[in-house]
Structure formats: C-alpha cells, structure tokens
Amino acid sequence: MNPLLITADRLWDGTGNATRVRPVLQVVGDRIDSVETALLSPKTCSGEVVDFPGCTILPGMIDTHVHLVMSAQPTNEAIIDQVTRESDAERMARIAGNAEAALHAGLTTVRDCGGTKNHVQQVRDRIRRGELVGADIVACGSPITTTLGHCHWLGLVADTYDEVEAAASKMLAEDVDFLKVMATGGNMTATSDPMKAQYDARTLHRIAQMGRDASKHSAAHVLSRVALPAVVAANFRTIEHCDWRVEEFRYEFDPELAKKIIDQNQFVGLTMSGLARRAFLPEVNTLGIGPVKRLDARFACERQMIDAGIRYTIHSDAGVRLCPIERFVLGLRAAERELKLTPTEILRAVTATAAEAIELPDRGVLSAGKRADLIVVEGDPTRDLTCLEKIRAVMKAGVWYHFEKPS
Ligand SMILES: [Zn+2]
C-alpha cells in the first residue's frame, strides 16, 4: 500500500480555531497515517503527492439529520404523496441518489433520521460493499411514532408501551444503527400536534434503554417543551430540533434542564432547514408570517442553549421542503447569520462534534489513526463558509470520489 501525500495551503483539523499552514497529510490505506507541517518540499518525500494550491483540507462533513427517501419538494403534501405512492424500487433509487449527491457536496457521513421499511439500511449496505457510490449512512430505519402521529406515513406506528417495545425490537432486528422516536408531533404531518407529547416518560425511557442495551444510540424529535423533561430523563443521546416552545410565539428556556443535558453529555441538533434559510430563500417569506415570525423566538432560545454550554450539531433535515441534500452549506451560512456563530464554531458542529454526538470515534477529526474522510475546498472556510461550496476533492475511507485536478 503506497502512502499518498496530500498538501494544500492550509489544513483545519476539526478542532479549535486555527489552521495549520503548509500541511502534509499522509494517507495509508483507508486511514490517516500522519498530519505534519512541510519542512521540506513534499516532492522529496516518497509516495504519490497531490498538491492543492490555494486550498484548505478539512474533515469530511457530517449531516446528523437527513431523510434520504424524501425529495425536498416545495410542499409537505407533495413530499408525503411521493413517499407514500412510490414503489420500493423508486424509493431506493431516491435514497441512493441523495446519498451520492451528499458525497459530492462534501458530506462523507449522513445520519438518516427516518425512511421507509428497511430501504435506507439496504442502500447503506450496498454503499459499504462498494456497489454504490455515496456518503456513509447511519440509519434508524423508520422513526417510532403514534397512529396519525408525526411521520406515521413512514410506516412504523406504535401507541402503547408494549407496541413501542415491539417496534424498537423490530428496528433492532432490521439492523439499524440507532433508534429514533417522535416525542412530539411535527410540522410536516397535519394530523399530529407539535405542541403535544406523543409518549409518556416511561415509554420514552424504554426506547433509549433498549438502544443502550443493544450498544446503539438513540434520538428523539422534540418540537415543544412539553416532551423535553422526559427526553432528558430518558437520556437520549441526541435531541433533534430541541424546541423549548410553550406557545405559538413563546419559547421558555430552563437553565436547570439545560444543566442536566450538559451533565449527561447529550447533544442537541439545531435544524437549519428550509424556513431557517429565510435570508437566502425569498420564497420562505411567501409561506405566511406565522412560521417565519416564530423563527426569531426560536433562534433567540437556541442562542441561550449555546451560551449555557449545551453541545450541538447543525443539521439540514434534508429532504423536507426546500431543503435538497446538496445545499447543506446554505444551512451553515444561515446558522452563521441567525445564531451569530463563527465559521469555526459551525465547522466543529458538523465535523468533530457531529462524530462524537452520533458515536463515530473514527472520524470528524484529521489526526493519525482516524479514517481518511476529508474534503479539499478552495480558499479558507474558517474565514468564509462559502468556500465550502467550492469543493475540489472528497475522500472517503482513503478513496477519492470527487476529484478536480489541481490546475
Ligand atoms: Zn427530520
């Protein structure tokens, strides 16, 4: 196995704020062997050298919440109609197409937070076997939800404690990587109520515990404060959306609950999907003032979470309306603007922190021994996030998938 040496103007390793200048990153097989600063010209080293002048090397990005089976059409009705009407073959083709688009957009790993049947696992396995090209997928199969509850149309309905236990067992038997539950209703499903809890504390605790017993993590979708104490008590690894909403336009942050989240090392997933991209998507403002007006209160509350020290990832919820997977970076730019985060804070949320949140210790950081998942972009993304839209190369597990020859 010949070593491959990758050089560029700078490297950001997934941690901290600083970049390393004149880096030499050595890849052997599917692993990073070393990351050093060039004292000599890399041309004098043995092994193949690829130099990217004017560029930055950074870890492959990780989107911790996507829906590969969904098509990001402009309305919820159109998305639900498509998912429920299509054949299994059509769904699998969309999942595979989105996974490939994700990889070319610089996402080397995506966590799928809900699809149909075991389709996402099937595509995940085909990518792992090298039969398809795409981002590495972490899959929950279908999310557990109630009759007519949020995303019930994905097909995994369970109302009672016993039914929920059976649903979680079914997902584990279908080889999922984590368990996902809809702890409240959601905006996408008109028959569900985002302001109401879908399960009691005992049932939620059982799901998270079944995950832990199977050495898998778990995720809970939370769109209002009402479900949060039980989700924290159950110690779900990630709290998706983590909305502290108590009324239409009112959010109520609770420092005591926040402290528990921090002490248990839970992670929240901040959702920068369609509406949250209002600054860049003029069509959002035509959707009615309600949901857009609510965003100001939501962002203020998310800033309180961040200031309190809660650890967070930033995800796209790709597949939902106006949110195609290849536009991941637009969500990051929205986070910079709306949550007043710095570019490196945002980059950490989608690399090192994301890997830790979803329990993938082999990636998210560029250091010796980690998997060689990396991207090369033009310019310096630690100063300007739009550089992430100028991808020159994507490597996953030591293999180039997107490669534009240095000129
Ligand atoms: Zn989602």
Side-chain angles (χ1 to χ4, degrees):
M1 233 170 337
N2 276 337
L4 171 69
L5 299 164
I6 308 168
T7 64
D9 283 14
R10 64 194 83 72
L11 176 145
W12 181 77
D13 71 359
T15 64
N17 295 313
T19 57
R20 183 195 286 260
V21 288
R22 298 296 310 144
V24 180
L25 184 144
Q26 178 160 263
V27 175
V28 178
D30 65 352
R31 298 278 142 182
I32 297 169
D33 191 65
S34 61
V35 181
E36 281 162 21
T37 301
L39 296 173
L40 298 166
S41 160
K43 304 255 181 322
T44 63
C45 308
S46 65
E48 188 191 342
V49 181
V50 188
D51 185 32
F52 291 93
C55 294
T56 303
I57 306 168
L58 67 157
M61 295 186 287
I62 301 169
D63 192 341
T64 52
H65 187 140
V66 302
H67 298 278
L68 295 168
V69 80
M70 297 183 199
S71 56
Q73 294 183 62
T75 67
N76 293 331
E77 293 71 27
I79 295 167
I80 295 168
D81 183 60
Q82 165 258 310
V83 169
T84 50
R85 201 170 24 80
E86 278 183 342
S87 68
D88 289 353
E90 286 169 319
R91 291 171 184 154
M92 301 258 290
R94 174 163 296 97
I95 293 165
N98 278 331
E100 183 168 6
L103 187 63
H104 290 289
L107 290 161
T108 45
T109 303
V110 295
R111 184 177 66 157
D112 187 279
C113 280
T116 43
K117 300 183 184 171
N118 68 346
H119 298 148
V120 176
Q121 296 95 296
Q122 285 193 54
V123 173
R124 171 198 69 189
D125 293 346
R126 292 192 64 192
I127 290 171
R128 283 185 191 164
R129 288 197 296 267
E131 296 163 18
L132 290 171
V133 167
D136 218 14
I137 297 172
V138 176
C140 72
S142 296
I144 300 170
T145 193
T146 53
T147 302
L148 297 181
H150 183 42
C151 288
H152 67 89
W153 38 274
L154 286 172
L156 187 62
V157 165
D159 293 316
T160 66
Y161 181 92
D162 290 345
E163 286 167 4
V164 164
E165 200 169 53
S169 297
K170 180 175 190 298
M171 287 302 101
L172 293 169
E174 291 181 6
D175 197 23
V176 297
D177 303 296
F178 71 107
L179 293 173
K180 164 95 186 280
V181 64
M182 300 304 194
T184 67
N187 296 321
M188 250 190 121
T189 308
T191 49
S192 77
D193 184 351
M195 298 305 290
K196 288 208 173 110
Q198 297 201 150
Y199 296 106
D200 61 19
R202 177 172 164 262
T203 308
L204 289 174
H205 190 274
R206 182 69 186 133
I207 298 168
Q209 190 56 44
M210 285 177 76
R212 283 187 285 271
D213 290 347
S215 302
K216 313 219 182 240
H217 74 273
S218 56
H221 154 110
V222 176
L223 273 193
S224 57
R225 241 298 285 275
V226 62
L228 212 42
V231 164
V232 175
N235 198 2
F236 281 83
R237 177 72 173 176
T238 71
I239 308 173
E240 302 304 297
H241 320 303
C242 199
D243 270 6
W244 302 64
R245 187 151 68 104
V246 289
E247 283 169 20
E248 179 62 18
F249 295 114
R250 200 160 65 83
Y251 284 64
E252 208 172 83
F253 179 74
D254 174 356
E256 284 301 307
L257 204 50
K259 190 174 175 306
K260 265 193 193 160
I261 293 172
I262 296 163
D263 289 347
Q264 297 188 137
N265 203 24
Q266 289 178 287
F267 292 76
V268 304
L270 306 178
T271 308
M272 301 310 290
S273 61
L275 296 187
R277 301 175 182 190
R278 60 185 174 178
F280 306 102
L281 296 176
E283 57 268 47
V284 164
N285 297 306
T286 66
L287 292 171
I289 189 71
V292 181
K293 191 176 155 200
R294 193 197 296 150
L295 283 172
D296 291 327
R298 192 198 108 181
F299 291 139
C301 188
E302 290 179 341
R303 192 60 237 189
Q304 282 182 292
M305 282 198 272
I306 294 165
D307 290 339
I310 291 180
R311 304 187 70 198
Y312 57 94
T313 67
I314 297 172
H315 65 241
S316 67
D317 218 346
V320 303
R321 65 183 173 190
L322 305 170
C323 205
I325 202 156
E326 62 272 18
R327 305 241 44 206
F328 180 66
V329 174
L330 201 60
L332 305 187
R333 291 170 58 199
E336 179 181 33
R337 191 184 172 104
E338 306 282 7
L339 300 174
K340 313 280 179 269
L341 292 166
T342 66
T344 47
E345 285 172 328
I346 289 165
L347 288 168
R348 285 200 296 270
V350 299
T351 54
T353 306
E356 191 183 342
I358 62 173
E359 300 187 329
L360 296 173
D362 65 343
R363 63 196 82 170
V365 176
L366 298 181
S367 63
K370 299 279 185 186
R371 211 170 84 139
D373 283 5
L374 59 90
I375 60 177
V376 182
V377 302
E378 280 178 34
D380 184 355
T382 66
R383 291 168 186 272
D384 176 4
L385 290 174
T386 64
C387 293
L388 298 170
E389 289 164 346
K390 293 171 227 153
I391 292 197
R392 293 284 291 276
V394 176
M395 173 178 276
K396 191 186 77 169
V399 177
W400 293 116
Y401 286 94
H402 176 116
F403 189 86
E404 290 171 25
K405 263 220 165 331
S407 47

